[in-house]
Amino acid sequence: MSKKVGIIGGGIIGLCAAYYLLKDGHEVTVIDQSNMNSGASYVNAGYITPSHFIPLAAPGIITKGLKWMFDARSPFYVKPRLDIDFLKWSLAFKKAATKAKVEKAMQPLLNINLLGRDLYEDLKKSNDFNFHYQHKGLLMLYKSNKVGEEEWKIGKKGIQKGLKVEHLSNNEVEKLQPNTNLNIKGAVYYHSDAHMTPNIFMKEMISYLDKNGVVFYKNETVKDLHISSEKITSIKTDKREIAVDEVVLAAGSWSSHITKKLGLKIPIQAGKGYSINVKKDTNITIPAILCEAKVAVTPMEGFTRFAGTMEIAGINSTINPKRVDAIANAVKKYYENIAISTEEKEHATCGLRPCSPDGLPYIGKSNTCKNLTIATGHAMMGWSLGPATGKLVSEIIAEKKTSVAITVFHPDRKF
């Protein structure tokens, strides 16, 4: 049965939800507070990451976080602040960073990442799109034996879960990536991963949805949700009121502001990430992560993107030059022939990734509201999990069996 579905949020998650709901025959409206041409969905590393089956809240990250907390150049920077939501999130993060909880999360994260990759490949094969997509894997490049051992330990877990993973020497990496002058000890190579150029996909998806009847209300802020009998009957923005049968909340780092209107608290903190585009030829053809620096490297359509850092400092889009410099300096340490210029650094961009305390997304219907499907909290895997989440949202609204188990992603889970 066709329904009127209002989607709050026009990033990768919201657009993919719109796509699969449209395919199911629903009347879809997307509302976004921006012009839908910037933010995390446009400036991310473009990774599709079955390799990322370890959640952010992993054992040891608290110790590292305390060490890095007061260093604005560190890969994972938490700005201390007296904010009740942040303090509650931090406590929940600490509770989630246990071996038992990480073990429980790994298989569901792998499953949803594999689903996301398969759906991207289906979209690529369709006649609807012509976006940049390459399945070349991911190199975890390391400079120290200690980090190499840690990465290979994770790699062996991946092998146990059915992924193809290799441990490569410096010479073996050089054969895969000639003429890059890499200064490394070796790499762990995940063959499972793929990569894209995000802005190309976003533009194509918006164009497709627009041509096929999806209504977009850009630069509109959701002011209220009208409720009757535990259901949202309409969405009120600063410009209009939209009648709905179902609502999808995919507002990223802003999602918790909207759920508070329903008396529903889902812990989310904005994790700011930065990216620098380099248009000169770098000879890089396979995506990589510079392990010690936590910097992502992606060969995109017409440029190479260097992205990184996780900055938990509230909702703001301020560019911190120290963090941009940290990315540029890391690149020089690994790729000796690549120097990111002052001009390239000045054009650095940032985006806010919605982070849950346990590193798992929120996907599902809360018991608080019968017709609200929540789809947020994807942190650094938002791009990878876009189509998978969109597909799951359409299945939830249709009350079908979901493509993968989603119990661990339930928005009402306790921390």
Side-chain angles (χ1 to χ4, degrees):
M1 185 179 78
S2 177
K3 295 180 179 181
K4 292 180 179 178
V5 184
I7 299 176
I8 303 173
I12 182 65
I13 305 297
L15 293 186
C16 287
Y19 176 82
Y20 289 103
L21 288 165
L22 180 68
K23 289 290 185 182
D24 278 355
H26 297 295
E27 187 180 324
V28 182
T29 300
V30 176
I31 307 153
D32 196 275
Q33 63 183 353
S34 75
N35 199 39
M36 291 177 59
N37 59 5
S38 61
S41 294
Y42 292 83
V43 304
N44 65 84
Y47 286 170
I48 295 92
T49 53
S51 63
H52 285 38
F53 53 84
I54 305 289
L56 178 64
I61 193 65
I62 300 295
T63 304
K64 288 180 180 177
L66 290 171
K67 175 185 170 185
W68 289 334
M69 184 175 284
F70 299 103
D71 183 0
R73 296 179 178 84
S74 65
F76 180 42
Y77 172 58
V78 181
K79 183 179 180 181
R81 60 191 191 278
L82 291 174
D83 174 87
I84 189 65
D85 289 338
F86 167 69
L87 295 173
K88 286 180 177 179
W89 182 92
S90 300
L91 180 59
F93 186 95
K94 184 179 179 181
K95 287 180 179 178
T98 67
K99 184 177 179 181
K101 289 185 177 180
V102 169
E103 288 288 339
K104 184 180 177 182
M106 285 195 292
Q107 194 63 52
L109 271 181
L110 177 58
N111 291 343
I112 194 173
N113 266 290
L114 289 170
L115 174 63
R117 187 191 66 189
D118 291 346
L119 291 172
Y120 269 122
E121 291 180 354
D122 288 345
L123 291 171
K124 179 66 176 176
K125 291 172 188 173
S126 75
N127 295 322
D128 298 333
F129 304 100
N130 187 34
F131 54 85
H132 168 243
Y133 175 96
Q134 291 185 304
H135 187 162
K136 290 189 172 184
L138 177 68
L139 290 163
M140 304 295 292
L141 305 175
Y142 61 86
K143 293 175 71 68
S144 71
N145 291 329
K146 180 184 176 183
V147 171
E149 289 167 8
E150 291 171 355
E151 291 299 329
W152 182 229
K153 187 177 178 181
I154 297 170
K156 286 188 284 189
K157 284 182 183 286
I159 293 171
Q160 291 170 4
K161 293 185 176 298
L163 299 180
K164 183 180 178 182
V165 190
E166 293 182 280
H167 197 176
L168 306 180
S169 67
N170 182 19
N171 289 337
E172 288 170 325
V173 176
E174 200 171 299
K175 289 176 183 176
L176 283 174
Q177 286 288 253
N179 306 315
T180 53
N181 286 353
L182 274 165
N183 181 12
I184 57 167
K185 287 282 181 70
V188 175
Y189 185 26
Y190 289 86
H191 291 257
S192 52
D193 291 24
H195 69 283
M196 302 168 63
T197 305
N199 61 299
I200 292 177
F201 179 84
M202 292 293 286
K203 288 176 183 176
E204 287 194 17
M205 181 58 84
I206 290 170
S207 176
Y208 174 85
L209 295 174
D210 184 50
K211 288 176 183 175
N212 286 276
V214 172
V215 176
F216 288 95
Y217 292 129
K218 302 178 184 179
N219 300 308
E220 295 198 20
T221 303
V222 173
K223 292 294 186 182
D224 205 359
L225 302 168
H226 291 171
I227 312 291
S228 177
S229 302
E230 297 182 336
K231 284 189 173 183
I232 300 169
T233 56
S234 65
I235 302 168
K236 183 174 176 57
T237 75
D238 54 352
K239 295 179 182 176
R240 72 194 79 238
E241 190 167 334
I242 304 154
V244 292
D245 300 312
E246 296 277 348
V247 175
V248 178
L249 178 59
S253 298
W254 291 265
S255 297
S256 57
H257 295 294
I258 294 171
T259 57
K260 283 180 180 178
K261 299 178 187 296
L262 302 169
L264 171 62
K265 296 179 180 179
I266 54 169
I268 285 179
Q269 286 293 309
K272 189 189 297 181
Y274 294 79
S275 70
I276 307 169
N277 295 338
V278 172
K279 293 184 178 179
K280 57 179 174 281
D281 191 7
T282 61
N283 295 317
I284 297 169
T285 58
I286 299 174
I289 289 180
L290 316 182
C291 291
E292 286 86 353
K294 301 290 188 289
V295 169
V297 182
T298 316
M300 295 190 178
E301 190 74 21
F303 59 93
T304 303
R305 174 165 290 171
F306 299 94
T309 83
M310 176 64 83
E311 179 183 331
I312 309 290
I315 292 182
N316 71 81
S317 297
T318 304
I319 298 287
N320 185 335
K322 291 181 181 178
R323 300 189 71 69
V324 176
D325 285 340
I327 293 172
N329 293 338
V331 171
K332 186 65 177 175
K333 289 177 182 176
Y334 285 77
Y335 299 95
E336 294 183 338
N337 64 336
I338 299 176
I340 295 177
S341 69
T342 300
E343 184 181 3
E344 287 163 339
K345 287 190 288 185
E346 286 173 350
H347 285 90
T349 53
C350 70
L352 300 177
R353 300 163 292 194
C355 300
S356 68
D358 59 2
L360 301 176
Y362 300 107
I363 305 172
K365 285 196 172 184
S366 168
N367 295 325
T368 305
C369 186
K370 295 176 181 176
N371 66 338
L372 172 67
T373 303
I374 295 170
T376 188
H378 296 72
M380 294 178 290
M381 288 181 284
W383 189 263
S384 184
L385 303 184
T389 303
K391 179 73 170 173
L392 291 168
V393 165
S394 71
E395 291 168 344
I396 291 165
I397 288 175
E399 298 182 355
K400 297 177 183 176
K401 181 181 179 181
T402 53
S403 298
V404 294
I406 60 171
T407 305
V408 298
F409 307 135
H410 201 284
D412 290 343
R413 64 186 183 268
K414 302 298 181 185
F415 296 100

